[in-house]
Amino acid sequence: MNELKHLAIIMDGNGRWAKAHILERSAGHEAGARVVEDIAIFAAKRGIKTLSLYAFSTENWRRPQREVDFLMKLLSKFLKSKEQMIVQNNIRFHTIGDISAFDADLRAQIQQLKSLSAANTGLNLVLALNYGARDELSRACAKLAKNNSEFSEDNISAALDTAEFGDVDLLIRTGGEQRLSNFLLWQASYAELVFCPTLWPDFTSAECEQICAKFEQTHRRFGGL
Ligand code: FPP
């Protein structure tokens, strides 16, 4: 049986969900944030070691300013209101991506949740914020060059934002599109990819469980036989 240690999710479809319900796009993101909580609790209870969620990409700044502002506020609200859920479920909170682009208040909130949960030993909940795999790889290479380190696979992996989490075992993208959109490109080299049509606000822990259980029954060869 395949062990599922690192699950990564591209949470797509909030906008289409809102449109289908004749609502503003912001309502789709709000509904999406509720699912983030459900899936984090599910992953914690299931004993998954790391759950990486693509919450805001380096490309998402190109959205209308109104939507970017809304997503920032929603993130701030999420960080504030989920402290108890994170502590109760023994979750350790992390981020990947370049958060220096965020305003000081938001950065302080992120730091606070990281500190508050630092001693927790259960699920690593990793939010990708201002994250892009190409940006991450180029930052990692710059670090190695500065230290005169060899560009070996091990050194590159260790210089990535995900150094402590390792490779992705299973990557799910909701919303029906079949692409990786610059998410964890290095870490997902051998990941099992699952593209499901469900829009993120409709994604449930039951559907997630089905996908995880199927993953555990697949045979991964990592290029061997
Ligand atoms: C894609 O939906 C989703 C995002 C832009 C980011 C994910 C954001 C959330 C799940 C909500 C907030 C999360 C946290 C952690 C507070 P889309 O707008 O691209 O959907 P569409 O493709 O249907 O337009």
Side-chain angles (χ1 to χ4, degrees), residues 10-19 25-26 28-37 53-57 60 63 67 70-79 93 127 129 173-175 177 179 199-201:
I10 301 175
M11 310 179 287
D12 195 16
N14 294 347
R16 277 164 286 160
W17 182 91
K19 197 170 176 197
R25 290 180 59 82
S26 55
H29 293 315
E30 264 171 349
R34 288 193 285 275
V35 178
V36 169
E37 174 170 8
L53 300 174
Y54 207 4
F56 193 87
S57 75
N60 283 153
R63 295 191 174 203
E67 183 164 341
F70 184 84
L71 284 167
M72 294 298 141
K73 275 205 200 99
L74 189 60
L75 177 61
S76 164
K77 213 165 105 185
F78 180 88
L79 296 170
F93 175 74
L127 283 194
L129 297 173
R173 180 176 186 141
T174 63
E177 309 282 358
R179 50 179 175 258
L199 303 173
W200 176 252

Side-chain angles (χ1 to χ4, degrees), residues 5-191:
K5 297 185 290 289
H6 189 169
L7 170 64
I9 308 184
I10 301 175
M11 310 179 287
D12 195 16
N14 294 347
R16 277 164 286 160
W17 182 91
K19 197 170 176 197
H21 290 78
I22 323 173
L23 293 167
E24 299 261 344
R25 290 180 59 82
S26 55
H29 293 315
E30 264 171 349
R34 288 193 285 275
V35 178
V36 169
E37 174 170 8
D38 294 346
I39 298 301
I41 294 172
F42 159 79
K45 296 216 158 102
R46 198 181 196 278
I48 290 172
K49 196 60 217 147
T50 302
L51 172 66
S52 297
L53 300 174
Y54 207 4
F56 193 87
S57 75
T58 46
E59 287 74 34
N60 283 153
W61 298 107
R62 295 187 200 138
R63 295 191 174 203
Q65 192 57 42
R66 206 165 84 105
E67 183 164 341
V68 170
D69 290 346
F70 184 84
L71 284 167
M72 294 298 141
K73 275 205 200 99
L74 189 60
L75 177 61
S76 164
K77 213 165 105 185
F78 180 88
L79 296 170
K80 239 183 268 166
S81 62
K82 300 304 168 222
E83 284 184 1
Q84 211 187 347
M85 177 280 280
I86 284 182
V87 171
Q88 269 173 2
N89 289 282
N90 194 22
I91 293 173
R92 188 162 174 204
F93 175 74
H94 308 261
T95 62
I96 53 171
D98 179 9
I99 57 166
S100 67
F102 292 157
D103 75 34
D105 286 350
L106 195 50
R107 288 201 313 267
Q109 269 189 299
I110 290 169
Q111 194 45 53
Q112 190 185 319
L113 197 49
K114 282 182 185 174
S115 308
L116 180 83
S117 64
N120 290 350
T121 53
L123 175 77
N124 290 309
L125 173 62
V126 183
L127 283 194
L129 297 173
N130 191 26
Y131 176 88
R134 289 182 173 187
D135 175 63
E136 180 194 32
L137 271 166
S138 71
R139 284 187 287 106
C141 292
K143 255 189 256 173
L144 295 181
K146 203 171 156 201
N147 300 331
N148 271 325
S149 302
E150 193 194 328
F151 281 59
S152 64
E153 291 195 14
D154 284 349
N155 285 349
I156 293 172
S157 293
L160 292 172
D161 298 347
T162 52
E164 60 181 303
F165 313 120
D167 280 353
V168 172
D169 299 304
L170 170 64
L171 188 147
I172 301 173
R173 180 176 186 141
T174 63
E177 309 282 358
Q178 301 198 5
R179 50 179 175 258
L180 294 178
S181 299
N182 205 12
F183 191 42
L184 299 173
L185 300 182
W186 176 277
Q187 301 87 338
S189 296
Y190 290 100

